[in-house]
C-alpha cells in the first residue's frame, strides 16, 4: 500500500485553491502560518473561511495584504494588479535566508527558477531579468511556498493529476490581453495533458507550477481506498460548475510491481567540479527519482563524468531543461526501462529523541526493508545535540521492538 494524492483539476488550479484544499483536508492553518513565518516576508496575514461554490462547501484561503481589506483573486483575474514586483534574484534571496526545511526550500526555489525560465523564453530575455508581475507579489509568493509546505505535509508516496483544465477565452495581464492559456502557463504545461472548458483563465502559473512539480502521472483517478477529500475554492462562484480544486487522499494498492521509468544521461568533461553538487540538488528538486555520477574516460584522454538521472516519463522535458541550463552538455540521451518497486509504507514511531518516520518496503505481505527517514533523524539530532547515527539506531531499534510486540 502507498499513500496517493490526486489533483482533480476539473476547474483548473491556482495557488490559493491548493492552499484551500490542503486546509480543507485538515492542514491546521496555524501550522501553515508557522511554516510561512520562516520566510522573511512581512506585510500580510493568512486567513481561511468556508464558502459555497455552486452548492458545494469548500475552503477559501486569502492572503490579506496590509493596507488592503480584501483577499487576493489572482486565480482567475490577473488584471490591473498593483502589488509589488520582484525579480528572481530577490525571491531566491528570500528563500535562501529562510529557515524552511532544506527540501521545501529547494523545491520552492526550483519552481521560481522554472517560472523565470518560462517567462524569459516568452519575452526573449535572460531569466535573471524577469520581473514577476503576478507571481512576484507577496500573496503569490505565499501561495507558492505555502503550497510546497502543505503538499510536503501530506507525506504522499505518489501524486497523480487529472488532465488540466486551462479554461478558455482571454485574460488581461500587465503586458496586455492574451488568449487562454497565456504564454508562460502554456510553457509550464508543455508535455502535460490539458483541455479548455469553462469561461476565463482557470489554470494560473502558480497552479501549473505546483501541480506539475508534484504529479508524476496524469489521467483518471487510480484505484484507491479514499481516506479524505479536500475542496479548495477559487475566487469566482461560477453557476452550475463548482469552482474548486479537489484533492483526494487515500491508500493505493499497486496493480503491478512493474513501472516504466526514463533514464536520462550525458557525459561531461569540461565543467568545474563545484557545479555538480548544485546540479544534483536541482535535478532532484525538479522531480528526478534518483541522480548519480560515474567517473569515465573520454576522448583525448580526458577524465569525465557520466551524469545519470531517473525519472517518470512526465518529467522528462523539465529534467532535460535542467541538464541544458545547469551543465555544459550539448545533448542528453534517454531510454525507457522497466523497474520493479516494492510497495511503500510509512510508519511514525516514538524514540527517546522524538518521533521518527520509518520507510517500509513490502511485497505480498512480506517486509523486505525498513529504514528511518534521514531528515527526521537529522532534525531530532540537531534538536537534542546528539550524533545523527544515535537517532538512526534508536529509531531502527524502536521499530524492531514494536514488531516484536506485535503492534
Amino acid at each position: 500500500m502507498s499513500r496517493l494524492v490526486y489533483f482533480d483539476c476539473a476547474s483548473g488550479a491556482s495557488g490559493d485553491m491548493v492552499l484551500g484544499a490542503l486546509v480543507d483536508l485538515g492542514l491546521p492553518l496555524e501550522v501553515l502560518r508557522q511554516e510561512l513565518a520562516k520566510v522573511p516576508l512581512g506585510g500580510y496575514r493568512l486567513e481561511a473561511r468556508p464558502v459555497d461554490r455552486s452548492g458545494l462547501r469548500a475552503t477559501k484561503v486569502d492572503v490579506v495584504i496590509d493596507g488592503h481589506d480584501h483577499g487576493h483573486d489572482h486565480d482567475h483575474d490577473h488584471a490591473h494588479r498593483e502589488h509589488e514586483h520582484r525579480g528572481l534574484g530577490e525571491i531566491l534571496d528570500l528563500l535562501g535566508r529562510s529557515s524552511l526545511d532544506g527540501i521545501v526550500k529547494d523545491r520552492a526555489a526550483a519552481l521560481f527558477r522554472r517560472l523565470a525560465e518560462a517567462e524569459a523564453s516568452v519575452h526573449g530575455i535572460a531569466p535573471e531579468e524577469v520581473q514577476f508581475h503576478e507571481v512576484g507579489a507577496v500573496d503569490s509568493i505565499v501561495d507558492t511556498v505555502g503550497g510546497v509546505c502543505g503538499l510536503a505535509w501530506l507525506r504522499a508516496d505518489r501524486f497523480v493529476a487529472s488532465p488540466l483544465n486551462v479554461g478558455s477565452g482571454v485574460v488581461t495581464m500587465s503586458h496586455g490581453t492574451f488568449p487562454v492559456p497565456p504564454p508562460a502557463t502554456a510553457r509550464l504545461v508543455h508535455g502535460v495533458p490539458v483541455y479548455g472548458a469553462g469561461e476565463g483563465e482557470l489554470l494560473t502559473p502558480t497552479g501549473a507550477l505546483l501541480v506539475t512539480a508534484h504529479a508524476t502521472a496524469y489521467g483518471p483517478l487510480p484505484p484507491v481506498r479514499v481516506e479524505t477529500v479536500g475542496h479548495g475554492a477559487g475566487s469566482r462562484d461560477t453557476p452550475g460548475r463548482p469552482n474548486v480544486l479537489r484533492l483526494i487522499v487515500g491508500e493505493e494498492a499497486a496493480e503491478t510491481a512493474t513501472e516504466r521509468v526514463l533514464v536520462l544521461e550525458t557525459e561531461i568533461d569540461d565543467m568545474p567540479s563545484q557545479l555538480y553538487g548544485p546540479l544534483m540538488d536541482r535535478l532532484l528538486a525538479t522531480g528526478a527519482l534518483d541522480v548519480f555520477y560515474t567517473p569515465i574516460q573520454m576522448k583525448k584522454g580526458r577524465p569525465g563524468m557520466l551524469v545519470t538521472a531517473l525519472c517518470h516519463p512526465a518529467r522528462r522535458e523539465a529534467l532535460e531543461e535542467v541538464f541544458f541550463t545547469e551543465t555544459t552538455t550539448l545533448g542528453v540521451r534517454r531510454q525507457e526501462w522497466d523497474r520493479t518497486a516494492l510497495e511503500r509504507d510509512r510508519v511514525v514511531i516514538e524514540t527517546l529523541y522524538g518521533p521518527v518516520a520509518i520507510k517500509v518496503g513490502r511485497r505480498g505481505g512480506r517486509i523486505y526493508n525498513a529504514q528511518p527517514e534521514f531528515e527526521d533523524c537529522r532534525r531530532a539530532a540537531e534538536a537534542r545535540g546528539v550524533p545523527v547515527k544515535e537517532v538512526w539506531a534508536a529509531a531502527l531499534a524502536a521499530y524492531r521492538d514494536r514488531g516484536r510486540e506485535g503492534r
Side-chain angles (χ1 to χ4, degrees):
M1 303 289 288
S2 62
R3 187 171 176 80
L4 175 118
V5 174
Y6 184 74
F7 294 95
D8 183 356
C9 304
S11 292
S14 64
D16 57 334
M17 292 167 80
V18 171
L19 292 184
L22 287 164
V23 172
D24 205 51
L25 280 171
L27 171 61
L29 188 63
E30 190 55 38
V31 169
L32 188 56
R33 286 170 174 153
Q34 289 170 3
E35 286 299 304
L36 288 167
K38 296 177 181 179
V39 182
L41 180 71
Y44 74 93
R45 67 181 187 276
L46 201 64
E47 296 182 351
R49 54 193 166 92
V51 296
D52 182 285
R53 291 293 180 264
S54 296
L56 179 67
R57 181 202 169 281
T59 297
K60 181 72 176 72
V61 169
D62 291 313
V63 181
V64 181
I65 308 301
D66 289 352
H68 296 260
D69 59 359
H70 56 81
H72 66 304
D73 60 355
H74 75 277
D75 58 322
H76 299 318
D77 185 5
H78 291 309
H80 309 301
R81 296 282 298 283
E82 299 296 335
H83 292 166
E84 180 183 356
H85 298 175
R86 283 180 165 85
L88 175 62
E90 185 178 355
I91 294 175
L92 295 182
D93 178 64
L94 281 173
L95 293 173
R97 290 188 287 115
S98 76
S99 57
L100 291 165
D101 181 80
I103 294 176
V104 171
K105 186 184 299 189
D106 290 345
R107 175 61 60 88
L111 294 191
F112 280 110
R113 289 193 191 97
R114 186 172 159 219
L115 180 61
E117 289 160 4
E119 292 278 5
S121 64
V122 167
H123 300 299
I125 59 177
E128 294 74 20
E129 299 176 55
V130 171
Q131 289 291 313
F132 294 112
H133 302 292
E134 278 75 42
V135 179
V138 169
D139 55 355
S140 295
I141 293 175
V142 172
D143 282 347
T144 302
V145 177
V148 172
C149 292
L151 292 170
W153 173 83
L154 288 174
R155 293 184 176 271
D157 296 297
R158 190 162 84 103
F159 289 90
V160 177
S162 69
L164 308 184
N165 185 1
V166 300
S168 65
V170 297
V171 58
T172 300
M173 302 184 298
S174 55
H175 291 292
T177 300
F178 297 87
V180 171
T185 304
R187 289 184 177 272
L188 291 172
V189 297
H190 194 69
V192 172
V194 301
Y195 66 100
E199 184 62 30
E201 181 194 18
L202 301 185
L203 181 69
T204 68
T206 309
L209 280 169
L210 289 169
V211 174
T212 60
H214 290 82
T216 57
Y218 296 84
L221 177 67
V224 63
R225 183 181 294 110
V226 176
E227 292 179 358
T228 183
V229 179
H231 298 94
S235 294
R236 293 184 180 180
D237 187 6
T238 308
R241 190 185 188 103
N243 181 25
V244 301
L245 170 71
R246 182 167 63 164
L247 287 183
I248 300 174
V249 181
E251 291 294 329
E252 178 184 32
E255 295 180 343
T256 175
T258 302
E259 61 178 338
R260 303 290 280 177
V261 295
L262 283 183
V263 180
L264 306 178
E265 61 182 17
T266 188
E267 296 107 348
I268 303 172
D269 65 359
D270 59 352
M271 191 170 85
S273 60
Q274 296 94 328
L275 298 182
Y276 284 99
L279 170 63
M280 178 178 287
D281 293 341
R282 182 81 186 280
L283 288 168
L284 291 171
T286 308
L289 299 170
D290 198 6
V291 180
F292 57 90
Y293 301 144
T294 308
I296 56 174
Q297 192 71 31
M298 298 183 65
K299 62 184 179 181
K300 300 181 181 179
R302 297 175 182 170
M305 195 72 73
L306 174 66
V307 182
T308 305
L310 307 183
C311 69
H312 291 291
R315 302 307 301 158
R316 175 181 65 83
E317 293 192 7
L319 290 178
E320 286 180 346
E321 183 68 16
V322 174
F323 273 106
F324 291 131
T325 56
E326 296 288 337
T327 78
T328 56
T329 190
L330 298 177
V332 178
R333 294 188 301 272
R334 66 177 180 268
Q335 54 184 316
E336 196 167 300
W337 287 358
D338 288 325
R339 78 167 183 173
T340 300
L342 295 177
E343 298 170 18
R344 296 164 193 187
D345 198 5
R346 183 188 299 267
V347 178
V348 178
I349 52 94
E350 288 295 330
T351 75
L352 294 173
Y353 309 103
V356 174
I358 304 291
K359 295 180 294 186
V360 181
R362 69 179 80 229
R363 183 169 65 173
R366 176 184 172 186
I367 294 177
Y368 285 81
N369 233 322
Q371 295 290 341
E373 284 279 11
F374 177 78
E375 288 301 321
D376 286 2
C377 294
R378 180 183 60 80
R379 283 192 292 268
E382 290 177 354
R384 297 298 184 93
V386 298
V388 177
K389 65 180 182 181
E390 289 188 16
V391 180
W392 179 283
L396 205 51
Y399 174 78
R400 289 169 178 164
D401 289 343
R402 169 180 170 149
R404 284 193 289 269
E405 293 169 6
R407 295 196 298 252

